[in-house]
Amino acid sequence: MYFLAAGGFVGSATLARQWRMAIMACLILGAVICPTPDLVTWIMVCLPLFGLYIVSIGVVRWAESARKNRAAA
């Protein structure tokens, strides 16, 4: 995500706006990774995936600010 943000391909505002789609993607990916009918295991797979999505929003914001600082200098 850092390299995509540094290249200007993705923005933190877009990622923050699309959080609902990210939850759905995490749920689908969690169902594929963990094909058991156990809901607790499925949630335990989905939560870290969504946590990584939230972290990626912070990484993209950091990359955007670094790109703005380079452009200002």
Side-chain angles (χ1 to χ4, degrees):
M1 291 304 288
Y2 176 80
F3 295 114
L4 290 174
F9 294 109
V10 68
S12 62
T14 304
L15 291 175
R17 240 186 351 257
Q18 298 294 327
W19 66 272
R20 291 174 189 91
M21 293 296 287
I23 287 177
M24 289 303 299
C26 289
L27 289 172
I28 291 169
L29 188 61
V32 170
I33 291 172
C34 179
T36 63
D38 184 21
L39 186 62
V40 174
T41 306
W42 187 35
I43 297 294
M44 288 176 58
V45 171
C46 294
L47 286 178
L49 288 173
F50 189 69
L52 286 172
Y53 182 78
I54 297 298
V55 168
S56 72
I57 293 173
V59 168
V60 169
R61 283 188 181 157
W62 176 57
E64 287 174 343
S65 68
R67 189 175 70 217
K68 286 179 187 175
N69 289 341
R70 279 190 307 242

